[in-house]
Amino acid sequence: MPRLIPVAGQKGGVGKTTTAMSLAAVTARSSRVLLVDVDPQQSATWWAERADEDLPFDFTNETDPGNLTRLRELPYDVIFIDTPGSLEGRDVLAAVLDAADFAILPTEPSPLSIAPLMRTISDVVRPRGVEYRVLLNKVDPRVPQDATDAEALLDGSGVDRFQTVVRNYKIHAMSPLEGKVVTQYSDSRIAAKAVDDYQRVALEMFAIWAHRSPVTVGAR
Ligand SMILES: Nc1ncnc2c1ncn2[C@@H]1O[C@H](COP(=O)(O)OP(=O)(O)OP(=O)(O)O)[C@@H](O)[C@H]1O
Ligand SMILES: [Mg+2]
């Protein structure tokens, strides 16, 4: 059975869609991956349509989150779910988290992003007992101290996080317009670094799952 992995958080613009598309791309190198867009804003759908048939994973959108449990019958290993970032999306987010096996919660490293994230965790994630990891995103590669400070804040609050942080690279901002995902840039050192960030996030995720259950998500 596939694992349902929402990329979630009630703050807009922190990188949910970017994380979902990029992690789906690296995970698709070793697993059967579906990405489902449940955000009424449909940004992932817009991106996927521009990518046309070049996407390395399958893509669909689903406006009724009540249908999510049916996804488990599909022949995939991992199903990432891109979720809405606004408070109007609260019911959607609740339905998605009810069905989730593991949640990824991206945030920017600034305290003003971390505060609403903490609320999301205590209000909607912890009450469901769903395992999650916070992912620090858009970390300025020239200012690694930003990540260190944010990590201290998260660790001091007992929040679970990925060890890996995702750095801020222009390639991430440009890729939706170019109709590409991160693994489809082959010719630059920065692109390799951008892929490497998500590759390490994926490895951490697989290690967490391997630790929790004997099911291995793996080779096609
Ligand atoms: N690691 C990164 N490096 C550079 N730009 C990034 C990175 N992650 C996200 N961005 C950019 O930040 C903006 C917001 O990202 P994204 O749309 O993924 O956030 P979101 O949480 O899905 O937003 P929403 O709440 O509106 O759905 C986009 O312009 C995206 O390209
Ligand atoms: Mg989004």
Side-chain angles (χ1 to χ4, degrees):
M1 271 216 304
R3 290 175 202 262
L4 295 189
I5 317 294
V7 183
Q10 287 162 304
K11 187 172 187 309
V14 294
K16 294 176 293 294
T17 300
T18 307
T19 303
M21 292 289 284
S22 305
L23 265 183
V26 299
T27 307
R29 290 168 158 177
S30 62
S31 305
R32 297 167 302 168
V33 175
L34 174 68
L35 177 52
V36 185
D37 186 5
V38 299
D39 183 356
Q41 282 187 41
Q42 307 259 293
S43 356
T45 302
W46 186 85
W47 184 345
E49 281 169 356
R50 295 184 74 82
D52 211 4
E53 68 257 29
D54 285 341
L55 277 183
F57 49 85
D58 288 346
F59 186 92
T60 185
N61 51 30
E62 176 55 72
T63 46
D64 180 1
N67 286 336
L68 287 174
T69 44
R70 267 195 241 149
L71 296 172
R72 287 196 195 279
E73 289 150 36
L74 300 175
Y76 293 97
D77 301 309
V78 185
I79 301 180
F80 291 103
I81 305 169
D82 187 25
T83 68
S86 59
L87 286 175
E88 297 101 87
R90 214 166 18 193
D91 293 345
V92 175
L93 182 60
V96 169
L97 287 172
D98 281 340
D101 295 292
F102 181 89
I104 298 172
L105 311 176
T107 181
E108 293 171 56
S110 75
L112 285 179
S113 294
I114 291 178
L117 169 79
M118 303 275 202
R119 275 197 297 279
T120 300
I121 293 171
S122 56
D123 292 354
V124 299
V125 181
R126 282 214 178 105
R128 294 183 163 79
V130 57
E131 181 153 26
Y132 70 91
R133 291 292 183 275
V134 168
L135 178 62
L136 285 172
N137 182 34
K138 300 200 210 179
V139 172
D140 185 338
R142 293 159 305 181
V143 194
Q145 186 65 33
D146 286 355
T148 313
D149 292 346
E151 285 167 354
L153 186 55
L154 294 171
D155 294 349
S157 310
V159 164
D160 295 329
R161 63 170 171 89
F162 285 104
Q163 301 298 311
T164 305
V165 305
V166 173
R167 292 167 285 187
N168 191 319
Y169 290 126
K170 202 170 175 190
I171 178 179
H172 293 306
M174 297 311 296
S175 50
L177 195 60
E178 291 172 355
K180 288 186 181 187
V181 289
V182 66
T183 49
Q184 291 171 327
Y185 293 86
S186 52
D187 53 355
S188 86
R189 202 168 49 87
I190 295 294
K193 288 184 177 184
V195 170
D196 189 56
D197 285 350
Y198 287 105
Q199 190 69 52
R200 288 187 295 132
V201 173
L203 283 174
E204 274 193 58
M205 202 170 60
F206 283 105
I208 292 162
W209 297 343
H211 190 66
R212 292 282 178 271
S213 90
V215 180
T216 42
V217 179
R220 273 196 243 220

